[in-house]
Amino acid sequence: MITEGNISDIRIAKDKLNIKPDSIYCFDRAYTDLELWSNIDFSKSYFVTKLKNNLKYTVLGQHLEAMKDGILSDEKIKLENKKYEKNLRMIRFLDEKSDEVVSFVTNNFKLSAKTIVQIYKTRWQIEIFFRWIKQNLQIKTFLGTSKNAVMSQVWIAMIYYLLLTYIKYQSKYEKSLFYLHSIIKEALLSRLTLIDLLSATPARISDFKIKEFQLVFW
């Protein structure tokens, strides 16, 4: 959903999100809103998020004993806030890469603690996706400046990224997306098939471009 920049994401989530029963909604702690949590719970759905530091709670006891795979504890808690009065589940997880202890909170008491952590880890891939777009698919010059023209060019960049990802996945291409993007850009007007391009070295591409230029020039 696209809105003006002064409209908060959480407002759209509460007003426009069509919550479906038996679904799991995973979001960052920036979306901490007890009304949203209540709406998800009331719709017989689940949420997984990080526990906000200033959110006060009382530990009621262990949900399950602490397990391996980085799980430090799996506890049942109750918020000290009447806007959400149901019990919640808090899972403390040690991230070995960052050596950071992260607390996740959910209203799902059925799935294993490891699965809850994996659900949130999957969400991290979305952040990587947008970070890559911001870093590599910069539109430096717009062919048009109307809203429709700008959005069309943004969508084209997004579609291009998804096509690159699909090609990389289907061909089991080992190098990075950025490298794949670079060689396609360099050989865009060359008469190379996609299969040839995926196995071509930078020297091969440069050599081919020189020959193409000489042929046209002659």
Side-chain angles (χ1 to χ4, degrees), residues 51 57 59 61-63 73-77 88-92 102-106 109 113:
L51 185 65
Y57 60 90
V59 177
Q62 287 285 332
H63 172 60
S73 63
D74 186 357
E75 299 171 319
K76 185 186 296 184
I77 66 171
L88 289 169
R89 181 182 178 190
M90 183 180 72
I91 298 165
R92 295 174 68 248
V102 186
S103 296
F104 300 108
V105 63
T106 180
F109 289 85

Side-chain angles (χ1 to χ4, degrees), residues 163-178:
L163 286 173
L164 283 186
T165 306
Y166 183 71
I167 291 169
K168 178 176 168 61
Y169 171 75
Q170 288 285 16
S171 64
K172 296 182 172 57
Y173 189 68
E174 295 181 352
K175 295 183 180 179
S176 67
L177 280 173
F178 181 74

Side-chain angles (χ1 to χ4, degrees), residues 129-130 132-133 137 154-170 177 180-181 184:
F129 167 76
F130 282 106
W132 194 95
I133 288 177
L137 296 185
V154 171
W155 281 117
I156 288 170
M158 296 277 285
I159 291 169
Y160 170 71
Y161 169 80
L162 291 174
L163 286 173
L164 283 186
T165 306
Y166 183 71
I167 291 169
K168 178 176 168 61
Y169 171 75
Q170 288 285 16
L177 280 173
L180 179 59
H181 159 68
I184 287 178

Side-chain angles (χ1 to χ4, degrees), residues 47-65:
F47 59 86
V48 175
T49 185
K50 277 186 178 180
L51 185 65
K52 210 167 185 179
N53 295 332
N54 61 355
L55 208 58
K56 297 182 180 180
Y57 60 90
T58 301
V59 177
L60 302 179
Q62 287 285 332
H63 172 60
L64 290 173
E65 293 297 326

Side-chain angles (χ1 to χ4, degrees), residues 30-95:
Y31 286 83
T32 296
D33 186 285
L34 301 187
E35 183 181 344
L36 175 62
W37 292 10
S38 296
N39 291 342
I40 294 174
D41 192 85
F42 181 77
S43 301
K44 297 182 180 179
S45 293
Y46 307 101
F47 59 86
V48 175
T49 185
K50 277 186 178 180
L51 185 65
K52 210 167 185 179
N53 295 332
N54 61 355
L55 208 58
K56 297 182 180 180
Y57 60 90
T58 301
V59 177
L60 302 179
Q62 287 285 332
H63 172 60
L64 290 173
E65 293 297 326
M67 296 170 284
K68 56 181 181 178
D69 300 320
I71 306 297
L72 302 179
S73 63
D74 186 357
E75 299 171 319
K76 185 186 296 184
I77 66 171
K78 187 175 183 63
L79 299 181
E80 296 179 9
N81 192 313
K82 292 186 178 180
K83 290 184 179 180
Y84 194 96
E85 298 185 327
K86 288 189 174 182
N87 295 339
L88 289 169
R89 181 182 178 190
M90 183 180 72
I91 298 165
R92 295 174 68 248
F93 169 74
L94 175 62
D95 186 357

